[in-house]
Amino acid sequence: MGSRGLRLGLASCLLLAFACGPVLGRAPRGPQELQEQEGTKEPPLDHAERDEKNHEKYSPRQGEDEPASRCFRCCDPGTPLYQAIPVPQINITILKGEKGDRGDRGLQGKYGRTGSAGARGHTGPKGQKGSMGAPGDRCKNHYAAFSVGRKKPLHSNDYYQTVIFDTEFVNLYGHFNMFTGKFYCYVPGIYFFSLNVHTWNQKETYLHIMKNGEEVVILFAQVSDRSIMQSQSLMLELRDQDEVWVRLFKGERENAIFSDEFDTYITFSGYLVKHALEP
């Protein structure tokens, strides 16, 4: 409570004093006084006589000053005007309590609707030219290609034979070994290979393109009364040090490939299509 309760008690006392003062100022009359008033009552008068009597009673006589304090009725003529007594004002600030503690923060309200997009702003001024950047790395190009041929015929025997080529058309960086008849991969990536041979009449043609000792594709031609050109091609994804070559099947069947010293009937080619590090 403290000072707040004291202020509330003081305000209540003031209000009670203003409300009960006029009532307490009127003392109750005793029975003797009431009888004397009843005994002195005059007979009732009519309206005109009552007005004349009241006028004589309350009007000042000649040569006399009006009394300082006198009662008037609102209906009497010549009733003086009195200034209204102001109603006493109570200072409400004495009833105001002390400031309370700050309350907890409320929950966040819902988000409002998204407004429409505004108009596009004006184009800003052109900026200044930037400084020159650092030089980039040198463009790295990767190449690998070969194309070789054979001018001698080859017949099968009791074991598999690697086709050895005697003519070199293109051998970039020497990746195709003419002594072993094999292509060695030094640039990993995707390669394209192509094999072309001339068949021998009345004999089969039976070869394989090999990769690291495994048969990948076959080139085959059946026995025929005439010789024809036969071809095979494919694409391979090679890693570093992979090997690719051509192998003639062993002598379980009579097979051979034809060629002579005047023309090149057998060719084997390959080249890099895409480097492994390119996206």
Side-chain angles (χ1 to χ4, degrees), residues 198-217:
H198 192 280
T199 64
W200 205 310
N201 56 341
Q202 301 300 326
K203 294 183 180 181
E204 285 185 340
T205 302
Y206 193 3
L207 301 99
H208 285 95
I209 295 179
M210 309 291 294
K211 175 187 173 183
N212 297 334
E214 296 181 0
E215 300 172 355
V216 182
V217 292

Side-chain angles (χ1 to χ4, degrees), residues 81-250:
L81 299 177
Y82 295 95
Q83 185 177 2
I85 300 174
V87 179
Q89 302 293 329
I90 301 176
N91 189 3
I92 303 300
T93 58
I94 64 175
L95 302 178
K96 186 177 180 181
E98 297 179 356
K99 186 177 180 180
D101 298 333
R102 185 174 181 179
D104 297 334
R105 184 176 181 180
L107 300 177
Q108 183 177 357
K110 297 181 179 179
Y111 290 100
R113 295 182 180 179
T114 304
S116 57
R120 184 175 182 179
H122 300 288
T123 303
K126 185 177 180 179
Q128 298 180 356
K129 185 177 180 179
S131 58
M132 182 180 295
D137 296 334
R138 184 177 178 181
C139 182
K140 296 180 181 180
N141 295 322
H142 304 276
Y143 301 100
F146 73 93
S147 181
V148 292
R150 180 182 174 94
K151 291 186 176 182
K152 296 179 180 180
L154 182 63
H155 294 268
S156 62
N157 51 29
D158 295 337
Y159 53 89
Y160 295 110
Q161 298 182 72
T162 300
V163 178
I164 304 298
F165 296 89
D166 51 28
T167 304
E168 184 180 83
F169 299 110
V170 174
N171 190 8
L172 191 62
Y173 308 125
H175 292 179
F176 188 89
N177 192 318
M178 299 294 292
F179 296 99
T180 62
K182 295 182 179 181
F183 170 76
Y184 296 92
C185 176
Y186 296 103
V187 183
I190 298 175
Y191 285 79
F192 175 82
F193 295 96
S194 175
L195 174 64
N196 295 277
V197 298
H198 192 280
T199 64
W200 205 310
N201 56 341
Q202 301 300 326
K203 294 183 180 181
E204 285 185 340
T205 302
Y206 193 3
L207 301 99
H208 285 95
I209 295 179
M210 309 291 294
K211 175 187 173 183
N212 297 334
E214 296 181 0
E215 300 172 355
V216 182
V217 292
I218 186 174
L219 188 152
F220 178 76
Q222 292 179 343
V223 177
S224 176
D225 294 337
R226 53 191 184 129
S227 59
I228 58 174
M229 294 294 296
Q230 196 81 349
S231 65
Q232 179 66 279
S233 59
L234 77 160
M235 296 181 72
L236 292 175
E237 183 175 2
L238 302 182
R239 298 179 180 180
D240 189 26
Q241 300 300 319
D242 281 350
E243 301 176 3
V244 179
W245 71 94
V246 179
R247 188 191 70 179
L248 182 67
F249 200 77
K250 60 185 178 179

